Every structure is written in structure tokens, then in C-alpha cells.
Amino acid sequence: MAEHVLVPVDGSPQSIAALRFATSEWPDARLTLLHIINPSNADYRERALSGTQEWYQEEKREARETFAEAKAEVGLVDDEREVDEQIAVGSPAGTIVDVLEADDADFDHVVMGSHGRTGVSRIVLGSVAEAVVRHAPVPVTIVR
């Protein structure tokens, strides 16, 4: 029985499915939603023209919107369940593992969506879910 579940959310249908699964599978567990701001997603001109701080603040605002939309989608808005929100910066797989390995982390499970890439796109782009499964210090459930 999981007591504290980490659910990375990016607003994709796969991450919403993972959140829906986590809420139904562990109705009494504390949830932490994690959104990762990946600096490599912004091109150099965008960061240079808008300024790094302004770009980062906009990304944080979008992350908070993603949390609100994800919680609304699965009915967590008026739920009495404890749901934490965390925003981190870095590459997705490495950052998820870093969050799990933090000194104050008390997670006992991760539930995340898989984008289901196969073939060349999986080789070229890598697989966040696969990297987390390989390196996470706790069990990981992948939802497709």
C-alpha cells in the first residue's frame, strides 16, 4: 500500500491517465504532482529576447495551470485528499530520479504516463519512463 505517490504531470493525456490511475489505485495516499521545466525546450532566442528570469516565471505560471487542469480533470479540486505540487528544473528523467532521491523525500511509489514511442523515435529521443524505471529507488508504475 503506497502512502506517498509521486506523479509527474506535463498536461499530456498520458500524464492525466497516470494521475487518474494513482487516485483510483491509492485513494488514501498523499499525492505529489511534479512538473519539470526543461530549459532545453526553449530555444536560445526565446530566452535571450525575453530574459531568462521572465522566461522562467512564465514557465512556472504554466506549470501551476497544468496542475490546476490535471486536478480538475480527475476530480481532485474539491477532494479532501492531500495533494502537493512541486516544480523542478532540469531534464525530465534525471530530475524525477533526483526528486525521489532527495534527503527529505518520502515517496514510496511513482506513477507516470508513457508516451508510447517506438522504433527510431524512441532511440533518438530516449525514453523518460524507461530511464526512471531503471534508476528510481522506489517502484514505478507506467500508465499508457
Side-chain angles (χ1 to χ4, degrees):
M1 179 73 179
E3 293 182 17
H4 190 183
V5 180
L6 179 68
V7 184
V9 293
D10 61 5
S12 68
Q14 294 86 352
S15 70
I16 299 300
L19 180 57
R20 184 171 283 115
F21 177 85
T23 59
S24 66
E25 187 71 19
W26 298 287
D28 298 325
R30 179 174 156 210
L31 299 176
T32 296
L33 308 184
L34 173 65
H35 183 83
I36 299 167
I37 298 172
N38 188 349
S40 67
N41 287 345
D43 67 22
Y44 175 76
R45 288 184 327 146
E46 182 179 35
R47 286 182 288 181
L49 293 175
S50 67
T52 303
Q53 190 62 29
E54 290 82 8
W55 175 83
Y56 177 66
Q57 293 304 321
E58 177 63 20
E59 291 294 311
K60 282 180 29 178
R61 185 192 63 71
E62 289 179 14
R64 289 188 295 273
E65 287 178 8
T66 299
F67 289 142
E69 291 167 3
K71 290 192 304 190
E73 183 77 25
V74 299
L76 288 175
V77 176
D78 295 323
D79 197 320
E80 295 177 11
R81 175 193 301 246
E82 184 176 355
V83 179
D84 299 321
E85 299 172 354
Q86 185 173 349
I87 300 171
V89 178
S91 65
T95 302
I96 292 168
V97 173
D98 288 347
V99 167
L100 292 169
E101 293 178 338
D103 289 338
D104 60 345
D106 64 347
F107 300 105
D108 48 21
H109 206 96
V110 178
V111 178
M112 59 187 298
S114 171
H115 287 264
R117 292 186 178 102
T118 59
V120 174
S121 66
R122 184 177 171 276
I123 293 168
V124 172
L125 298 174
S127 172
V128 172
E130 181 181 356
V132 172
V133 166
R134 289 183 185 273
H135 300 286
V138 298
V140 179
T141 299
I142 306 297
V143 177
R144 285 186 75 183

